[in-house]
Amino acid sequence: MLKIVRMGNPVLLKRAEPVADARAPELRGLAADMIETMIEAGGVGLAAPQVGRSLRLFVFRVPEDRLDPAEVEERPVPVTVLVNPEVEALGDETEVAVEGCLSIPGLVGAVERPVHIRYRGLTLDGEWIEREARGGLHARVVQHEYDHLEGVLFPMRLSDAALFGFREEIEAAIAAARQPEETCA
Ligand code: NI
């Protein structure tokens, strides 16, 4: 397990350095440790700056049990390592959803992001992979992790400062706001 650095640590605010050789053996070890750390922490993504390494590399996954039931087309994504990734928004559509971060334990916030993206990056074998993601956790986690490589944390992107707080409080507030109005007969 690697130590996850928390918000306030300057490494999280730096633009991370490009990786010179995606096939470097030491990168393979780092990525394996990051995957183990992400899974152990119950996260869906982890970027190298979050373990104190200012490198353009992140790992992520979309597990079956984290799919949003409202996103009927979304499929699980196996653990993926991306080196020197690029992300591009496709179209103008955006959506707001609640995000958390392993570097900001306990806190969540509502963030507006593009719905439809294309992303690419190198694997640890030095091959390019390119995928599209539309809505749901997949598109969101890729954009969140990419932000870490740019030194951006989700509280810098809040769409509504009132929807930033401790997970249980925000989830309760959102659930209360969604309750249908009670009618008195
Ligand atoms: Ni994060």
Side-chain angles (χ1 to χ4, degrees), residues 50 100-103 144-145 148:
Q50 293 183 275
C101 181
L102 293 176
S103 294
H144 177 112
E145 298 314 322
H148 277 298

Side-chain angles (χ1 to χ4, degrees), residues 82-136:
L82 283 184
V83 178
N84 295 342
E86 297 165 19
V87 179
E88 168 191 11
L90 300 175
D92 297 330
E93 193 187 350
T94 62
E95 69 186 353
V96 176
V98 171
E99 295 184 16
C101 181
L102 293 176
S103 294
I104 312 173
L107 290 162
V108 298
V111 178
E112 182 173 13
R113 296 195 186 271
V115 169
H116 189 189
I117 60 164
R118 178 189 294 135
Y119 65 93
R120 62 181 78 79
L122 289 164
T123 67
L124 297 171
D125 296 318
E127 310 282 345
W128 284 96
I129 54 173
E130 180 170 309
R131 296 180 188 155
E132 280 187 36
R134 185 190 288 274

